Amino acid sequence: MRTSNTRNVIRRQNKKTSRSTISVLGLTLAVISGSASAYYCASVGNPVAVNTLKMLLQQADLVESTALKALDANLTYGIKKQQEDVTTAIKILTKQEAVSAQGIVDNAHKNAQTLVTAYQAIKQSEQMKKAQIQFGAHGQAFKACEVLSDREQAQEDSKAADSSILAKVGSEVIAAPGVYMNPHHAQKAMLEAHDEFCTSSQEASGLCNSGPNAGLSLQAATLFTTSSPNTAVARAQNALINNMVGLPDAPIDAKVAKTSAGQDYVMSKLAKDALTSPAITSLKAIQAQYTPVEGGGSNSHDSSTKLAPMQHLEKSVSRYLGSGSEYKDFAKSQAIKDERGLMVDGLVQMTERLHLQYQQYKSNERKEAILAALVSSEAKLTDGSMTVNDRSKSAGNIRRIALSQSLAQQ
C-alpha cells in the first residue's frame, strides 16, 4: 500500500515537470518562430536575413536541446530520488516488521517460560506439601521414631526373657527337675534365706528372725512385681517359687541306684519331674516377664533405666489407653493428624495388640501343659499307680533317689 502511494506521488510530480518544460519550450518556439517569421516576411531572399534566421533557428535548437537535457536530468534525478526513498522506506518497513515479529516471538517465549516456571513451582509446592502431610508430623505415627525403637526393643527383650526361663529354672529353683540334693541341707539354706522375709509370728514361733521385708516371699503379688536381679524383690520371688515347689530329692549310693528298687525310684522321680516341670516353668516365665533382661533394652532415650518385658507393655498400654503421661500428647496429636497419620497410629496399636495376643498365646500353652499334668496326675491317683504321702506323718528316714554319684556325695 505504501509503495503504491509512493508511485502515485512520483507520477504526479513527473506530470507537473513535463507540463512546465513543455510550456517553456512552447513559449520559446513561439518567440523564435515569431521573430523568424518577421525576418522572413520582411526580407525574403535577403542573405542577411537568411543568416539571421538560421542563427535564430540554431539558438532555438540549442535552447530546446538544453531544456530537454535539463528535463531529462530532472526526471532522472526525481525518479532516482523517488526510488531511493521508496527503497529506504521499504527497508525501514521490512526492518520494523522483522523487529516487531522478533519482539512478538521473544515476548511469547518469555511468557511461555514464565508460565512453565510458575507451573513447576506450583507442582513442586504441591509435592512438598503432600510429602510434608504424609511424612511429616501430620502423616506419621505418634513419636514414630521413639515408638519404633521401643517396639523393636520390646521384641528383643521378650525373646531374651523367653530364652532365660530354662536357665532360671536350673539356677534358681532348688528342687528343679533333674536336681538331687540333700533335702535337710536344702531346707536349712532356705530357712537361712528366709530370715530376710521372716514375719513376727514366725519369729515368735522360733522359726526365724524378723527381717526388713517381712512376708514378702509369702505373697503371690510379689511374683508380679517388677524387680532387677539381686534385689530384695527378686530374692523374694525366688523364695516364693522354692516354697511352692518344695524340697529336692535326696541322692543315694550308686549301688542302690542299680537295684530294681533304685530303678523304680529313678523312674518315679522322672515321672514326678515331668508332672511338676510345667508349673515350675510357668512360675519362672512369669518372673522373667517382670525382670529386666541382662543387657536388654532401655526406656527409649534413657539408657540408664532397663525395662522388663512387662514394663514395655505397660508403657505402650498407658500411651494409647490414657493411663500415662504420654496419652495427653497422643490425644492432641490425633486432633491434627492427616488420614494417613491416623491409619499409621492404628496399625501401630494393632501391632501392640498382636504382641499382647502372642503373650496370651504363650500363657495359654503353659496353662495347657499344666492342665495336662494335672489330668495325668489325677489319672495316676485314680488307677493307683501313684500315691500321695503326708510327709508330716512319715518316718524321718525317707530317702530319695540320685542319678549321679557326684550329686549323691553332696
Side-chain angles (χ1 to χ4, degrees):
M1 179 62 72
R2 294 182 179 178
T3 305
S4 300
N5 293 335
T6 304
R7 291 178 178 175
N8 291 332
V9 172
I10 293 173
R11 288 174 181 174
R12 287 195 296 270
Q13 289 179 353
N14 291 338
K15 287 182 180 181
K16 290 180 181 180
T17 304
S18 300
R19 289 175 182 175
S20 300
T21 305
I22 292 172
S23 298
V24 173
L25 288 176
L27 181 60
T28 303
L29 292 175
V31 173
I32 295 173
S33 61
S35 300
S37 298
Y39 277 105
Y40 181 76
C41 292
S43 309
V44 177
N46 188 352
V48 177
V50 173
N51 292 330
T52 302
L53 181 59
K54 290 181 178 179
M55 184 183 64
L56 290 174
L57 291 174
Q58 290 177 353
Q59 291 178 354
D61 291 336
L62 180 60
V63 172
E64 183 179 5
S65 299
T66 303
L68 290 174
K69 290 181 179 179
L71 178 61
D72 292 337
N74 290 332
L75 290 175
T76 302
Y77 177 77
I79 293 172
K80 185 176 180 182
K81 181 64 176 174
Q82 292 297 327
Q83 288 179 344
E84 291 177 354
D85 292 341
V86 171
T87 302
T88 303
I90 292 173
K91 289 181 179 179
I92 293 173
L93 178 62
T94 304
K95 186 174 182 180
Q96 289 178 347
E97 291 178 351
V99 171
S100 178
Q102 185 64 36
I104 293 172
V105 172
D106 292 340
N107 290 333
H109 180 68
K110 291 180 180 179
N111 291 336
Q113 283 184 334
T114 303
L115 180 62
V116 171
T117 302
Y119 180 78
Q120 289 178 343
I122 293 173
K123 286 298 183 182
Q124 185 176 5
S125 177
E126 291 177 353
Q127 293 296 327
M128 291 178 63
K129 186 184 298 183
K130 182 179 179 181
Q132 184 177 7
I133 291 175
Q134 291 186 352
F135 303 102
H138 300 287
Q140 290 296 314
F142 173 69
K143 294 184 178 180
C145 297
E146 181 178 343
V147 171
L148 178 60
S149 177
D150 288 347
R151 179 72 263 138
E152 292 177 347
Q153 193 60 61
Q155 292 178 348
E156 294 297 326
D157 289 351
S158 179
K159 293 178 181 178
D162 292 341
S163 300
S164 68
I165 294 175
L166 295 180
K168 285 180 175 293
V169 171
S171 62
E172 297 174 357
V173 179
I174 296 177
V179 173
Y180 298 86
M181 185 182 298
N182 189 316
H184 299 290
H185 294 168
Q187 187 174 27
K188 181 180 179 181
M190 291 172 63
L191 289 175
E192 290 176 354
H194 185 68
D195 283 344
E196 182 181 1
F197 313 107
C198 184
T199 63
S200 57
S201 60
Q202 289 174 339
E203 183 181 18
S205 65
L207 180 65
C208 54
N209 298 319
S210 180
N213 300 305
L216 192 61
S217 64
L218 304 176
Q219 303 172 12
T222 303
L223 194 61
F224 300 90
T225 303
T226 303
S227 63
S228 299
N230 301 321
T231 60
V233 175
R235 291 191 296 271
Q237 290 174 344
N238 292 333
L240 174 63
I241 295 174
N242 284 321
N243 292 336
M244 296 173 68
V245 174
L247 296 175
D249 294 313
I252 61 173
D253 295 336
K255 294 180 180 180
V256 177
K258 295 179 180 180
T259 64
S260 59
Q263 294 296 319
D264 289 339
Y265 276 110
V266 170
M267 297 305 297
S268 298
K269 176 175 174 55
L270 292 176
K272 185 203 72 171
D273 289 345
L275 293 176
T276 59
S277 62
I280 297 173
T281 302
S282 295
L283 291 172
K284 299 307 289 187
I286 295 173
Q287 183 185 11
Q289 290 297 316
Y290 288 91
T291 303
V293 181
E294 186 67 24
S298 61
N299 183 4
S300 299
H301 306 292
D302 184 8
S303 59
S304 62
T305 305
K306 301 296 182 180
L307 294 183
M310 191 56 65
Q311 286 180 301
H312 284 292
L313 288 175
E314 292 173 352
K315 180 181 179 182
S316 178
V317 171
S318 65
R319 176 188 294 139
Y320 296 112
L321 297 183
S323 59
S325 59
E326 284 186 307
Y327 177 73
K328 292 182 180 180
D329 295 334
F330 171 72
K332 292 178 182 178
S333 69
Q334 298 303 289
I336 60 173
K337 286 282 187 181
D338 182 69
E339 182 179 356
R340 183 182 185 277
L342 295 175
M343 292 179 63
V344 173
D345 273 329
L347 292 174
V348 172
Q349 294 178 54
M350 287 180 63
T351 60
E352 298 292 349
R353 188 179 298 111
L354 288 174
H355 184 66
L356 285 172
Q357 291 175 349
Y358 174 64
Q359 296 299 326
Q360 186 64 41
Y361 174 78
K362 292 191 297 183
S363 176
N364 290 336
E365 282 187 325
R366 292 191 294 268
K367 290 179 181 179
E368 185 178 2
I370 294 174
L371 289 174
L374 290 175
V375 171
S376 177
S377 299
E378 186 70 22
K380 289 180 180 297
L381 289 172
T382 302
D383 62 15
S385 59
M386 183 176 72
T387 59
V388 177
N389 296 325
D390 187 356
R391 293 195 62 186
S392 63
K393 299 179 181 180
S394 301
N397 59 354
I398 294 178
R399 303 190 68 188
R400 302 201 176 192
I401 307 301
L403 294 178
S404 171
Q405 182 63 31
S406 61
L407 291 176
Q409 296 175 356
Q410 293 181 359

